[in-house]
Amino acid sequence: MKNLIGTAAICFMLLSSAGCADREYKDVSVIPYPHTVQVSGEPVALPEKIEISVKDSILLQEAEFLAAGLASSGFETSVSASGMHAGIHLAIDWRISDEEGYRLETGKKRTVIYGGTPAGVFYGIQTFLQEVAGGTLYKGTIEDAPRYRWRGFMLDEARHFSGAERVKQLLDIMAYYKMNRFHWHLTDAQGWRIEIKSYPDLALVGGRGSHSDPDAAVSYYTQDQIRDIVEYAAARHIEIIPEIDMPGHATASNRAYPEFNGGGTEQFPDFTFNVGKEGTYAYLTSVLREVASLFPSPYIHIGGDEVYYGIEAWKTDPYVQSLMKREKMTDVREAERYFMHRMIDSVSVLGKTVVGWDELVDLNADRDRSMVMWWRHDKPEYLDRSLSLGYTTVMCPRRPLYFDFIQYGEHRWGRIWDGFCPIEDVYSFPDPWIEDLTDEQKSHIAGIQANLWCELNHTPERVDFMIFPRLCALAESAWSMPEVKDFSSFEDRLEDAYELFDSLGIYYFDTRNPEHHPEPAGPEIRKAGKQKMDYRD
Ligand code: ACM
């Protein structure tokens, strides 16, 4: 895998011999567009030997990150912990109040990147590298800070497994565009993708199969691999939030440990955990204890979505019925709520905050211990209620932020639902959607996130095609204030993203020329799976 900074650095070198600088561009070519740009338009040429200095030793990691990328592309770099000589200087400036904010001052001989924290400096570095790669490194000052603190992307590896190398490349690109939350959907009906030492068959048995092939080879992440990826993400200021979906979407787990199976329906067999068995709570708490120890994030996502696909079975399950009798419940939905409350308790005891899909709004859960992801675009009342009840809320509505929806009218392999998710709609999100919310409601919005479900995304080409370049639009919607957003400027700046994607071998959808990379076909489904009516095919 090519290194992103290395790629930028190639242009860096060319720039000094006037290669990338040829392009006419009136503003800086940076995605997401920064808040305040005061540049002269006078290009700055950089030397081939670059000295990187830091004022504060906590910035050594940022300096090494920058230097390693430059060195891998043939630059001579040096990092020193003192001085403020020519070259690139990194410093903390406590006056920058936003913890991810930065100020980038570019002069003829010296560039200084100030941040309120190392994360701010890191984002200043990304802006700098993009300016260089796009040939728009100008004398002047850029001051910047994000609109939202949650700038997320979710990848579903349960339906089809991508693997560590692909995930790391995605993390690289997310960081380059200043995204900071990776939501990892690791378990679902079709596969369990994380090693749990106390229940090894979760990975060894539950990890077999995929959405398109129930006999696909076992694939999952070992705990060592997870730790490595978590560390890789952290070095890029990305927090990873694991999702262990419950009490629905449990089929893979039930294959491994059928004693906790709560049943399902003919279309979705073995879909739920058995919420009536006491052992289920101990089992899932043990799983979550291991998960909690692997991920430093303060959050664990426990799903909670679409339980209705399998809940019918609870009406006749003797254990669920006995629980309902004991607790004087009259409806299986009450058993679902009971389960979720107990699991929220378990997550709290593990010192974490629960994240759940927007079904959580119906639970009357404690808002200090839980956070909501609003996904049902056809139920805007759930966003309204979530915010009115004071839940910290991430907005990821299917339209326009489910990247398994098609992005172009002539595409066939992806979802539609009274429309689809073109890049323009990702770019304009969230403003038209939130304009009727009160300021109090808006204050509970943590940010936005796009989700890639992978039922139909079974190859690297398909995964790339659905993510890129919509991820760039998402990044700008999450970071940039509405007053600096402009779709036609964004399209100009996408040219540099396409150049980067070409250099990395990414199979993106080319908005300039839809024929450039034809739409890759989805998988043949070997066994009737969760193929819903809203797919084109
Ligand atoms: C979801 O799409 N079931 C959260």
Side-chain angles (χ1 to χ4, degrees):
M1 185 179 71
K2 266 200 193 163
N3 174 314
L4 282 192
I5 292 182
T7 306
I10 292 165
C11 280
F12 203 60
M13 214 159 200
L14 290 173
L15 183 70
S16 28
S17 54
C20 292
D22 287 348
R23 222 182 72 213
E24 285 268 333
Y25 194 75
K26 65 179 180 348
D27 284 317
V28 292
S29 182
V30 174
I31 294 174
Y33 202 74
H35 190 262
T36 309
V37 177
Q38 289 177 311
V39 291
S40 64
E42 189 185 335
V44 171
L46 292 159
E48 285 174 26
K49 283 188 187 168
I50 299 165
E51 199 175 324
I52 301 166
S53 59
V54 297
K55 179 148 175 282
D56 312 82
S57 56
I58 49 166
L59 293 177
L60 276 173
Q61 179 170 300
E62 268 53 59
E64 296 293 350
F65 186 86
L66 173 58
L70 296 174
S72 74
S73 299
F75 279 97
E76 245 182 78
T77 56
S78 62
V79 173
S80 67
S82 63
M84 191 169 169
H85 316 293
I88 307 167
H89 183 68
L90 311 180
I92 295 290
D93 180 345
W94 304 109
R95 290 167 304 179
I96 297 175
S97 57
D98 190 294
E99 60 185 35
E100 295 179 304
Y102 66 89
R103 189 171 73 257
L104 169 58
E105 294 178 355
T106 305
K108 274 276 175 223
K109 295 242 175 316
R110 199 181 65 189
T111 289
V112 188
I113 303 174
Y114 296 100
T117 65
V121 170
F122 183 80
Y123 294 132
I125 290 171
Q126 306 313 315
T127 292
F128 173 74
L129 289 170
Q130 288 191 31
E131 285 184 285
V132 169
T136 61
L137 183 69
Y138 300 130
K139 245 180 95 185
T141 301
I142 292 176
E143 287 184 272
D144 201 9
R147 178 180 189 183
Y148 289 120
R149 71 180 168 83
W150 190 290
R151 304 180 298 279
F153 182 73
M154 186 214 80
L155 181 67
D156 162 20
E157 292 209 68
R159 271 55 178 263
H160 289 103
F161 190 70
S162 282
E165 196 180 331
R166 299 267 307 154
V167 167
K168 285 184 174 177
Q169 184 185 62
L170 177 60
L171 293 168
D172 283 340
I173 300 174
M174 285 176 63
Y176 193 60
Y177 295 118
K178 304 189 178 78
M179 297 192 58
N180 66 354
R181 298 287 194 283
F182 179 59
H183 168 178
W184 213 356
H185 187 78
L186 287 165
T187 72
D188 213 299
Q190 295 82 355
W192 183 283
R193 307 297 182 204
I194 172 172
E195 177 189 29
I196 300 295
K197 303 243 190 228
S198 54
Y199 291 97
D201 281 351
L202 278 170
L204 298 174
V205 176
R208 173 175 297 283
S210 70
H211 184 79
S212 51
D213 180 1
D215 297 322
V218 174
S219 35
Y220 64 89
Y221 292 101
T222 64
Q223 295 202 350
D224 281 346
Q225 286 174 315
I226 298 257
R227 273 188 281 271
D228 175 56
I229 291 171
V230 165
E231 201 179 300
Y232 191 88
R236 287 151 185 76
H237 297 277
I238 296 174
E239 179 182 313
I240 303 190
I241 299 92
E243 181 183 355
I244 307 295
D245 206 344
M246 58 184 78
H249 296 271
T251 322
S253 165
N254 289 335
R255 273 204 307 275
Y257 294 98
E259 57 271 42
F260 307 116
N261 185 355
T265 60
E266 200 181 330
Q267 199 189 356
F268 301 105
D270 307 323
F271 188 73
T272 66
F273 287 114
N274 194 313
V275 301
K277 283 189 176 176
E278 203 46 39
T280 304
Y281 296 92
Y283 167 60
L284 290 174
T285 301
S286 302
V287 168
L288 292 179
R289 185 173 299 114
E290 291 192 35
V291 171
S293 74
L294 289 169
F295 293 90
S297 166
Y299 302 104
I300 293 186
H301 199 310
I302 61 167
D305 58 319
E306 298 181 319
V307 186
Y308 53 83
Y309 280 130
I311 210 169
E312 256 326 278
W314 295 0
K315 292 185 177 160
T316 52
D317 181 273
Y319 294 94
V320 180
Q321 287 303 307
S322 139
L323 165 77
M324 288 176 63
K325 198 161 160 212
R326 195 184 77 221
E327 298 291 327
K328 302 190 176 30
M329 300 170 183
T330 54
D331 184 336
V332 282
R333 294 295 308 275
E334 289 173 72
E336 178 186 341
R337 285 196 280 273
Y338 170 91
F339 169 86
M340 288 300 284
H341 278 288
R342 283 197 57 182
M343 293 318 300
I344 291 171
D345 287 345
S346 288
V347 172
S348 297
V349 167
L350 295 170
K352 306 275 186 178
T353 298
V354 157
V355 186
W357 298 108
D358 62 29
E359 284 87 339
L360 197 135
V361 172
D362 289 330
L363 292 177
N364 199 22
D366 186 343
R367 65 179 178 218
D368 297 332
R369 299 194 300 166
S370 40
M371 179 171 140
V372 171
M373 286 192 168
W374 173 60
W375 65 282
R376 290 179 288 183
H377 72 290
D378 56 324
K379 295 191 190 312
E381 65 275 18
Y382 273 79
L383 173 64
D384 192 68
R385 279 178 56 209
S386 181
L387 296 169
S388 299
L389 291 167
Y391 288 109
T392 302
T393 304
V394 171
M395 299 186 294
C396 52
R398 280 178 291 223
R399 279 191 52 208
L401 296 185
Y402 269 25
F403 285 2
D404 54 323
F405 277 58
I406 60 168
Q407 59 200 305
Y408 183 62
E410 285 165 31
H411 288 164
R412 295 176 58 232
W413 290 94
R415 296 174 71 185
I416 52 170
W417 183 319
D418 299 332
F420 49 96
C421 299
I423 192 166
E424 291 85 349
D425 290 3
V426 179
Y427 192 79
S428 60
F429 194 81
D431 295 294
W433 296 68
I434 62 172
E435 65 197 14
D436 293 334
L437 298 174
T438 64
D439 287 346
E440 166 63 21
Q441 284 180 309
K442 284 182 193 163
S443 72
H444 298 297
I445 297 175
I448 69 176
Q449 174 173 300
N451 299 332
L452 184 70
W453 300 102
C454 286
E455 286 95 332
L456 295 189
N457 298 313
H458 64 312
T459 60
E461 286 73 24
R462 275 203 58 75
V463 170
D464 283 355
F465 192 77
M466 301 310 266
I467 297 178
F468 304 108
R470 285 188 287 191
L471 189 89
C472 297
L474 174 75
E476 188 144 316
S477 291
W479 177 283
S480 304
M481 296 304 279
E483 58 270 22
V484 304
K485 286 173 71 183
D486 175 76
F487 190 70
S488 92
S489 144
F490 172 71
E491 281 183 305
D492 284 345
R493 287 176 281 123
L494 265 187
E495 295 284 338
D496 290 322
Y498 290 138
E499 224 171 272
L500 171 68
F501 299 157
D502 282 332
S503 74
L504 295 170
I506 286 179
Y507 195 89
Y508 56 92
F509 172 61
D510 190 335
T511 52
R512 302 164 301 187
N513 171 16
E515 307 304 317
H516 178 200
H517 289 142
E519 183 191 25
E524 300 265 324
I525 306 293
R526 258 194 53 202
K527 186 176 155 203
K530 192 183 156 192
Q531 189 75 336
K532 299 207 305 203
M533 292 303 291
D534 54 349
Y535 287 116
R536 273 275 163 97
D537 270 274

